[in-house]
C-alpha cells in the first residue's frame, strides 16, 4: 500500500510497540523500528499526535499515527485480502474484547512482573536507559534509577499494587497461563487455525513482557510450553500462509477468558468510570478479592469502554440480536452497560489514530 516502509517509533521492549510490530510482521507491512530518544522524540511525538507515548507511527506520506488499536483497525480497512478481524459478529466481538482486555488489564501483571523483582527491574531499566536515554548526559546508574522509580511509581506501587495484593496480581498471570495452555494444546491460534486480532492483542503482554522478562519467562517455560510455542508461532506467521479456518466453537473454547473479562476487567473499568465522573485522580477497587488502593484513574480507559459499546451499537440489528444472548451468558452484558453514561469530553479521542486527547495512564501525574 506504500512503496516505502512505515517508521515505527518506540522501544524494542515496549508492550504496545511489540503489539504493533507483531501485527506488521504477520500482515507483511514493511516497517523500520526506531528507538525513541528522550527527550527529543518524545516531544516530537507529542507535537505530532497530541500525547507522548509509544509506539508512534510515521507514514511514508508524512502523516503520524498513535494508538495501536486504532492503527490496526485503520490498516485493516486499507488492506485487501484475508483480514485479521473476522466478519462473523461473535468472533469479531470476541477479538475486540480480548484485545482490549490484553491492552488494559494484562498491563497490570505485566508491569508488576517486570518492575517488582530486582532481576526484572535490573534488566528493563538497564535496557531502557541505554535504548531511550542514550543521548542524555547523565551517569548510567542515575538513568537506571530514574527509570525504575518512574515505572514503579507510575504503574506498580503507584497504581495500587501492594504487598497485600501482589500474590493476586501474580495469580492473574498464572490463571491466564492455565487457560491458554489448554487452548494452545488443542489449536494453533486463539480462534482456530489462523491468526486473528485476538492473537495480536495478546502479543503485547506476551511478546514483550511475559516471554521476555526473566521472572514471567521462567514461569512460562516451566508451566506453559504450549503458550511459549504460540508466541513464536505468531511471530513467524505470515499473511499469505493463512490457509486455515477460524472455528465457530471459539466462543466456547475461550469462555474462561471471557469470564475473566466480565468478572474482573469490566468491573475495574466501571470503577474507573465512577472515579473519573467524581473528578478523582486515584480510586480504590476490589477485584477478585484483591484490594487495589490508590489506583490511577484513566480517562483513556473510559474511552475504551465507550469503544466496546460503540462497536456493539454499530453492528447490524441481526448481529446485535445474535451477540446479546451470547454476551449475557458470558457475563459481559451487564457490566458492559452498567454505567448509565460515560464521563467523556466532547469528541474525546474521536480523531484516533491520527490524534489522541488522552494517555492510557499518565505515569508522572
Ligand atoms: N493505547 C496506546 C497505549 C500506548 C502506551 O501506553 N504505551 C506506553 C509504553 S508501552 C507508553 O508510552 N506510556 C507512556 C508513559 O509511560 O508515559 C496504544 O495502544 O498504543
Amino acid at each position: 500500500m506504500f512503496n516505502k516502509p512505515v517508521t515505527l517509533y518506540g522501544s524494542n521492549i515496549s508492550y504496545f510497540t511489540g503489539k504493533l510490530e507483531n501485527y506488521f510482521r504477520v500482515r507483511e507491512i514493511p516497517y523500520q523500528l526506531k528507538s525513541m530518544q528522550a527527550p527529543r522524540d518524545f516531544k516530537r511525538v507529542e507535537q505530532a499526535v497530541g500525547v507522548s507515548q509509544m509506539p508512534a507511527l510515521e507514514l511514508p506520506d508524512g502523516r503520524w499515527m498513535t494508538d495501536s488499536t486504532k492503527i490496526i483497525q485503520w490498516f485493516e480497512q486499507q488492506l485487501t485480502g484475508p483480514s485479521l478481524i473476522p466478519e462473523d459478529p461473535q468472533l469479531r466481538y470476541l477479538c475486540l474484547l480480548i484485545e482490549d482486555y490484553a491492552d488494559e488489564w494484562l498491563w497490570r501483571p505485566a508491569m508488576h512482573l517486570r518492575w517488582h523483582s530486582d532481576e526484572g527491574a535490573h534488566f528493563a531499566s538497564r535496557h531502557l536507559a541505554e535504548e531511550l536515554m542514550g543521548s542524555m548526559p547523565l551517569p548510567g546508574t542515575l538513568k537506571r534509577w530514574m527509570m525504575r522509580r518512574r515505572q514503579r511509581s507510575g504503574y506498580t506501587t503507584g497504581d495500587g499494587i501492594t504487598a497485600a495484593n501482589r500474590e493476586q496480581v501474580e495469580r492473574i498471570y498464572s490463571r491466564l497461563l492455565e487457560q491458554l495452555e489448554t487452548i494452545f494444546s488443542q489449536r494453533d491460534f486463539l480462534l482456530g487455525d489462523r491468526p486473528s486480532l485476538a492473537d495480536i492483542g495478546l502479543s503485547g503482554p506476551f511478546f514483550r513482557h511475559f516471554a521476555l522478562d526473566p521472572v514471567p519467562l521462567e514461569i512460562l517455560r516451566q508451566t506453559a510450553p504450549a503458550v511459549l510455542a504460540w508466541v513464536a508461532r505468531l511471530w513467524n506467521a505470515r499473511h499469505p500462509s493463512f490457509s486455515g479456518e477460524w472455528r465457530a466453537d471459539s466462543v466456547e473454547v475461550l469462555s474462561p477468558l471471557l469470564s475473566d473479562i466480565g468478572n474482573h476487567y469490566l468491573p475495574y473499568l466501571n470503577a474507573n468510570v465512577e472515579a473519573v465522573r467524581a473528578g478523582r485522580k486515584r480510586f480504590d477497587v476490589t477485584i477478585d478479592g484483591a484490594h487495589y488502593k490508590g489506583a490511577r484513574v484513566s480517562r483513556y480507559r473510559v474511552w475504551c469502554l465507550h469503544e466496546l459499546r460503540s462497536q456493539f451499537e454499530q453492528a447490524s440489528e441481526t448481529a446485535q440480536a445474535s451477540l446479546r444472548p451470547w454476551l449475557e451468558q458470558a457475563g459481559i452484558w451487564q457490566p458492559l452497560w452498567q454505567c448509565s453514561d460515560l464521563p467523556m469530553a466532547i469528541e474525546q479521542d474521536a480523531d484516533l489514530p491520527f490524534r489522541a486527547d488522552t494517555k492510557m495512564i499518565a505515569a508522572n501525574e
Side-chain angles (χ1 to χ4, degrees):
M1 74 190 264
F2 295 111
N3 51 14
K4 279 198 198 144
V6 299
T7 309
L8 177 62
Y9 286 88
S11 152
N12 68 5
I13 67 166
S14 123
Y15 203 98
F16 292 96
T17 311
K19 176 186 170 194
L20 209 50
E21 198 182 357
N22 235 308
Y23 170 73
F24 287 151
R25 278 179 66 96
V26 171
R27 260 310 209 161
E28 296 200 301
I29 295 165
Y31 69 93
Q32 53 169 330
L33 175 61
K34 280 200 181 161
S35 297
M36 269 170 80
Q37 294 307 304
R40 187 192 67 208
D41 291 332
F42 288 82
K43 284 196 191 127
R44 199 165 152 215
V45 163
E46 186 165 4
Q47 274 169 359
V49 298
V51 294
S52 150
Q53 68 181 7
M54 59 178 77
L57 195 66
E58 190 179 7
L59 298 178
D61 63 15
R63 284 180 296 171
W64 283 78
M65 300 173 104
T66 188
D67 195 80
S68 61
T69 300
K70 282 292 172 188
I71 292 176
I72 292 173
Q73 286 176 18
W74 185 85
F75 272 93
E76 287 298 298
Q77 276 165 5
Q78 315 294 316
L79 294 165
T80 51
S83 177
L84 283 172
I85 307 178
E87 272 176 28
D88 172 87
Q90 284 192 357
L91 294 184
R92 179 172 190 279
Y93 206 71
L94 186 62
C95 282
L96 297 170
L97 282 167
I98 289 177
E99 181 190 32
D100 198 47
Y101 164 73
D103 284 354
E104 312 301 330
W105 183 244
L106 297 181
W107 172 260
R108 182 173 286 281
M111 293 308 271
H112 168 73
L113 289 161
R114 169 170 291 177
W115 291 104
H116 183 89
S117 66
D118 280 342
E119 209 184 347
H122 181 79
F123 156 70
S125 60
R126 186 181 189 93
H127 183 103
L128 292 171
E130 282 171 10
E131 188 192 1
L132 308 181
M133 299 162 90
S135 59
M136 291 170 86
L138 295 171
T141 42
L142 179 60
K143 290 185 205 171
R144 295 200 287 276
W145 177 83
M146 283 163 60
M147 190 53 85
R148 185 186 290 223
R149 189 164 172 272
R150 176 189 194 278
Q151 299 300 84
R152 283 186 177 169
S153 65
Y155 300 122
T156 65
T157 51
D159 190 26
I161 302 181
T162 61
N165 61 29
R166 88 170 247 216
E167 274 182 23
Q168 283 138 313
V169 175
E170 289 164 13
R171 182 77 193 123
I172 299 175
Y173 177 53
S174 52
R175 196 181 44 246
L176 175 71
L177 289 187
E178 283 160 24
Q179 293 166 350
L180 293 178
E181 186 66 7
T182 308
I183 294 167
F184 293 128
S185 304
Q186 295 164 18
R187 46 175 65 193
D188 281 353
F189 298 101
L190 283 168
L191 299 193
D193 308 320
R194 57 184 262 219
S196 70
L197 178 66
D199 298 281
I200 298 294
L202 276 183
S203 73
F206 272 93
F207 175 56
R208 281 295 166 65
H209 279 252
F210 300 149
L212 177 72
D213 292 337
V215 172
L217 174 58
E218 188 54 19
I219 300 170
L220 183 58
R221 270 196 211 111
Q222 298 304 333
T223 64
V227 182
L228 188 58
W230 160 81
V231 175
R233 191 158 55 242
L234 183 65
W235 181 244
N236 198 32
R238 291 295 170 274
H239 184 250
S241 62
F242 294 173
S243 50
E245 295 296 325
W246 289 318
R247 299 193 213 154
D249 68 354
S250 298
V251 169
E252 287 88 69
V253 171
L254 298 183
S255 62
L257 278 178
L258 285 175
S259 131
D260 280 1
I261 294 173
N263 291 323
H264 306 159
Y265 174 51
L266 290 175
Y268 159 81
L269 275 191
N270 287 330
N272 176 65
V273 164
E274 295 313 331
V276 171
R277 200 193 308 284
R280 304 185 57 174
K281 289 210 155 171
R282 305 287 179 129
F283 64 106
D284 298 348
V285 60
T286 302
I287 303 287
D288 191 29
H291 187 61
Y292 300 101
K293 197 168 163 43
R296 286 173 186 266
V297 298
S298 165
R299 291 197 299 128
Y300 174 79
R301 288 180 180 156
V302 179
W303 175 84
C304 291
L305 183 58
H306 167 79
E307 189 62 11
L308 287 176
R309 290 176 172 195
S310 312
Q311 294 282 358
F312 177 85
E313 286 166 339
Q314 283 159 23
S316 70
E317 264 182 44
T318 334
Q320 288 191 14
S322 78
L323 280 173
R324 183 173 171 162
W326 164 63
L327 291 172
E328 280 174 344
Q329 210 187 355
I332 305 268
W333 182 259
Q334 191 278 334
L336 184 62
W337 301 100
Q338 183 179 312
C339 295
S340 52
D341 54 355
L342 298 181
M344 287 175 46
I346 296 164
E347 301 285 291
Q348 181 189 317
D349 293 305
D351 292 333
L352 285 174
F354 293 101
R355 198 149 185 96
D357 299 312
T358 58
K359 260 172 100 156
M360 179 176 77
I361 294 183
N364 36 15
E365 263 178 21

